Amino acid sequence: MSKIILTGDRPTGRLHIGHYAGSLRRRVELQNSGEYDKTYIMIADAQALTDNADNPEKVRQNIVEVALDYLACGLDPAKATLFIQSQISELCELTFYYMNLVTVSRLQRNPTVKAEIQLRNFEASIPVGFFTYPISQAADITFCKATTVPVGEDQLPMIEQTKEIVHKFNAVYAPDKPVLVDPQALLPEAEACKRLPGTDGKAKMSKSLGNCIYLADSADEIRTKIMGMYTDPLHLQVSDPGHLEGNTVFIYLDAFARREHFERYLPEYADLDELKAHYTRGGLGDVKVKKFLNNVLQEELEPIRNRRTEFAKDIPEIYHILKKGSDAAREVAAQTLSEVKQAMKIDYFEDAEYIRSQSERYAE
Ligand code: ATP
Ligand code: MG
């Protein structure tokens, strides 16, 4: 069986280091590993509109921002298909048919959707489109028969929902020869990367919460954000013992610091374990740790920012890449949709055998 990657992002803002740690960095590695037959990367504009219906300009503007972030990180249009969700109308058709396989109470139980409804103050009036976006996400994942979906932890309930739809669809419509493919989520290995917290210490760095370090941030912006970061409120004096739990600076170091960073910027410590031990013992100030984190992140983000600036010099080329990718994705979606419709017995005009059998029934 082919090994196929599908993943994507909502164009609700530029991408941040949470995306990078949670999914982007991994995607680039997988793309370059040569182990996958296809890589599809989707800009989920239709999904972004489910909670930004009154702000289409925001979604439109962020298409190119997200695409620039992709290219800057190393996603390569020669190896990966970069496309825009709304341009693949087949996804709407798939969503419509999958809706029959999911109950309202099942959607209501989705913990990520629950949290997002709260965050957006949607309790009293949830748009139907937003409520059902996990079903449209199943269409996104299944149209290309994706086997592997590299995502952050918040996406696990969506993959679970997709699996249920795949199993139900195959059981009901294609018991002998499955049409849809069961996808697997691929989470980052490091705990810190699964759900990177915001610079304010909130549970998740998220475009919607404004607590992000963006991949496109300038060196100064990065430094200012790091210096203002949430650490340990009990660590008032350098000599006080510090706490690591919920300490965002150390969580970011977990996600990004490598041994060679210590050699370059903080040679008095061999690795993060030694730094942590000193911090919890007392006698290590937050400013020193933040300066180290700043060095680490500047080193990681500078080449990305520079590549972004280069790609931004030819914006029409970015749209050209997305158009080509969308055309290619659409062909694949049309093929899957045709298999789906055949399995569901709604392929009336393609089934000459059936038309003949019906005509015979009437001739009797
Ligand atoms: P929004 O607030 O509009 O939902 P977002 O910041 O949550 O934006 P998404 O576009 O929803 O970003 O997520 C894209 C991908 O990035 C998903 O795979 C998601 O799991 C991952 N991701 C987003 N935020 C984080 C984070 N803080 N840590 C790890 N992964 C993340
Ligand atoms: Mg999100």
Side-chain angles (χ1 to χ4, degrees), residues 59-358:
V59 173
R60 184 185 176 92
Q61 272 179 8
N62 280 304
I63 297 273
V64 78
E65 300 294 339
V66 171
L68 284 171
D69 287 327
Y70 284 168
L71 297 168
C73 285
L75 286 172
D76 176 357
K79 297 179 186 161
T81 305
L82 310 184
F83 71 99
I84 306 178
Q85 184 187 27
S86 63
Q87 303 309 295
I88 322 298
S89 51
E90 286 79 359
L91 295 176
C92 299
E93 280 193 67
L94 289 174
T95 304
F96 191 64
Y97 298 128
Y98 295 170
M99 280 185 176
N100 302 331
L101 306 175
V102 182
T103 63
V104 170
S105 65
R106 177 65 184 88
L107 287 175
Q108 279 167 335
R109 280 204 310 276
N110 185 311
T112 299
V113 176
K114 265 196 207 166
E116 289 176 339
I117 285 173
Q118 245 189 351
L119 184 74
R120 289 162 177 74
N121 290 321
F122 274 166
E123 278 100 337
S125 54
I126 311 168
V128 174
F130 182 79
F131 182 62
T132 57
Y133 91 73
I135 305 179
S136 97
Q137 220 167 303
D140 305 334
I141 295 171
T142 53
F143 91 85
C144 59
K145 307 199 171 172
T147 51
T148 311
V149 191
V151 282
E153 195 177 52
D154 64 307
Q155 292 302 306
L156 284 183
M158 310 306 161
I159 314 286
E160 207 37 57
Q161 177 71 79
T162 302
K163 282 164 141 334
E164 284 175 32
I165 291 173
V166 166
H167 296 166
K168 187 133 193 218
F169 184 96
N170 286 338
V172 173
Y173 299 118
D176 302 327
K177 192 167 161 272
V179 169
L180 301 181
V181 171
D182 205 16
Q184 301 301 326
L186 193 63
L187 289 184
E189 272 142 33
E191 208 48 47
C193 298
K194 290 180 181 158
R195 186 185 295 255
L196 201 75
T199 48
D200 55 358
K202 286 216 177 96
K204 182 177 172 294
M205 181 175 288
S206 166
K207 298 178 220 116
S208 307
L209 291 175
N211 56 5
C212 309
I213 295 176
Y214 293 98
L215 298 177
D217 276 349
S218 69
D220 279 348
E221 284 168 322
I222 296 169
R223 192 175 307 108
T224 308
K225 286 180 183 180
I226 291 176
M227 288 306 164
M229 262 171 75
Y230 180 87
T231 54
D232 170 14
L234 301 173
H235 190 230
L236 297 174
Q237 301 194 6
V238 172
S239 54
D240 290 339
H243 299 84
L244 299 172
E245 188 145 335
N247 189 322
T248 320
V249 173
F250 275 95
I251 297 174
Y252 287 12
L253 287 176
D254 274 329
F256 294 102
R258 296 187 299 271
R259 257 172 182 275
E260 63 261 32
H261 292 132
F262 282 91
E263 280 162 30
R264 270 201 285 286
Y265 306 116
L266 211 53
E268 59 267 44
Y269 301 90
D271 56 21
L272 192 51
D273 287 341
E274 278 191 14
L275 191 72
K276 284 179 177 174
H278 191 182
Y279 190 76
T280 47
R281 223 171 34 240
L284 175 58
D286 282 323
V287 172
K288 186 165 179 179
V289 186
K290 284 181 172 178
K291 280 188 174 158
F292 176 57
L293 174 63
N294 180 54
N295 284 325
V296 170
L297 280 184
Q298 298 287 358
E299 184 181 316
E300 190 87 12
L301 299 180
E302 191 192 329
I304 295 177
R305 188 169 58 238
N306 291 344
R307 278 197 299 270
R308 202 181 193 280
T309 308
E310 279 307 302
F311 281 114
K313 288 181 180 157
D314 190 357
I315 296 296
E317 173 59 15
I318 310 294
Y319 283 99
H320 177 69
I321 290 168
L322 294 174
K323 166 88 169 59
K324 253 180 83 179
S326 300
D327 289 346
R330 194 152 186 207
E331 264 180 47
V332 176
Q335 173 59 32
T336 301
L337 180 64
S338 134
E339 291 169 34
V340 159
K341 288 172 91 170
Q342 189 184 15
M344 292 179 70
K345 302 190 183 299
I346 51 175
D347 60 335
Y348 310 110
F349 309 127
E350 275 88 69
D351 196 346
E353 184 55 41
Y354 183 71
I355 296 173
R356 198 160 37 247
S357 74
Q358 292 302 295

